[in-house]
Amino acid sequence: MFLYMLIYLAYHGSRWIPRKQRLKFQIVNAVVITLVLVPQFYVIGRSKSSRYCKQPLLNNLSASIAFSFIASGFSVIFTLIEPIPQSLWASYHLFGLLSCGEGLCTTILTLTAKDCVKTTPELYYMSLFQTVASILSTGFFMVRGGLWLTKLNPGTDLSGNNESPAVPH
């Protein structure tokens, strides 16, 4: 969910800037993409990362790198195209569902890989960081979803009472 959130933030952040002045935002977007990808490539390139670990954290990191490339493509496209076609929105939300599943797998693998901290420390800590980021971003979307649900029926407050004034007959 972390990568899904980054795309979400890139899209909404770019909409604050006039379309013709988004070059600076594209530079910031490229820096964020780099900050996401470089640590993953560093960890996967370490010789310690290929050591034996009970859990397939290395395979999970490879999947995370693939997801990161897809997310970087979405963030660039979403900040350049206006309006976004419905098919692209649908593929973005499908990516979010897959990203949620990948975050869940990362969380499960990390929680069951306590012994890997001794054999593959960088890989374990990268997985731990991804787990925390996934949990925090899932919380972000849960709050956003809750706020969205409260706005579905604008005539009611949080307690379910009708806020609209009574219409005299």
Side-chain angles (χ1 to χ4, degrees):
M1 290 294 285
F2 176 67
L3 298 170
Y4 183 72
M5 184 181 76
L6 288 180
I7 300 166
Y8 174 86
L9 294 175
Y11 172 75
H12 287 287
S14 71
R15 295 306 182 242
W16 289 350
I17 302 168
R19 193 174 201 195
K20 300 214 187 274
Q21 298 174 353
R22 291 188 186 162
L23 178 63
K24 291 177 186 174
F25 190 83
Q26 288 299 327
I27 294 169
V28 170
N29 195 15
V31 169
V32 170
I33 291 167
T34 303
L35 289 174
V36 169
L37 281 169
V38 167
Q40 293 181 72
F41 277 118
Y42 172 76
V43 170
I44 208 165
R46 301 273 301 164
S47 60
K48 286 183 178 181
S49 296
S50 62
R51 290 184 184 164
Y52 177 75
C53 177
K54 227 177 200 180
Q55 297 299 331
L57 295 180
L58 191 61
N59 294 342
N60 190 56
L61 182 60
S62 299
S64 178
I65 289 172
F67 274 94
S68 297
F69 275 114
I70 295 168
S72 66
F74 272 121
S75 67
V76 169
I77 290 170
F78 275 29
T79 56
L80 292 177
I81 295 178
E82 199 172 312
I84 308 292
Q86 285 293 1
S87 59
L88 194 57
W89 278 117
S91 59
Y92 164 67
H93 292 304
L94 177 64
F95 173 78
L97 187 64
L98 294 172
S99 179
C100 182
E102 196 265 338
L104 184 62
C105 288
T106 301
T107 302
I108 291 169
L109 289 173
T110 304
L111 292 176
T112 59
K114 299 242 187 260
D115 295 337
C116 295
V117 73
K118 295 174 186 160
T119 57
T120 56
E122 294 93 354
L123 186 59
Y124 176 78
Y125 288 120
M126 175 59 75
S127 186
L128 187 63
F129 172 77
Q130 289 175 337
T131 296
V132 171
S134 180
I135 291 169
L136 292 175
S137 59
T138 300
F140 170 79
F141 281 111
M142 288 177 73
V143 169
R144 291 269 313 142
L147 293 173
W148 177 74
L149 285 174
T150 59
K151 291 183 181 184
L152 279 180
N153 189 359
T156 57
D157 62 11
L158 292 176
S159 65
N161 297 327
N162 196 349
E163 291 178 346
S164 58
V167 180
H169 296 327

